[in-house]
Amino acid sequence: MSKAVSYYDWELSFKNKNESIKDIKNDNFNAIGMSDNNFKDYIKKWKEKNLS
C-alpha cells in the first residue's frame, strides 16, 4: 500500500523552487509578512480615509 501524500506536498510538487526563491529575494518583507511597497500603499490609503 502506498503512503498518502498530503495536500501541501502535492501542491509544492507543482511549484518551481527557483521561482519562489527569486520572488522572496526580490521583495522586502516586513514583520507582518507584507512587502514594503504594499504596506506603504496601505498606510497612505488608511491615512487618507481615517485622518482626513
Side-chain angles (χ1 to χ4, degrees):
M1 186 180 277
S2 65
K3 184 178 178 183
V5 178
S6 71
Y7 175 78
Y8 179 73
D9 292 333
W10 175 79
E11 185 179 17
L12 285 178
S13 68
F14 292 103
K15 292 185 178 181
N16 184 354
K17 293 178 183 178
N18 293 334
E19 283 182 18
S20 61
I21 292 171
K22 287 178 187 176
D23 291 341
I24 291 171
K25 288 182 180 179
N26 288 339
D27 288 339
N28 295 325
F29 291 98
N30 57 22
I32 61 172
M34 293 177 70
S35 69
D36 289 337
N37 292 334
N38 287 342
F39 183 70
K40 288 176 187 176
D41 291 340
Y42 175 80
I43 294 298
K44 285 179 187 176
K45 290 177 184 177
W46 182 88
K47 283 182 180 180
E48 290 173 1
K49 180 180 178 185
N50 295 307
L51 300 177
S52 296

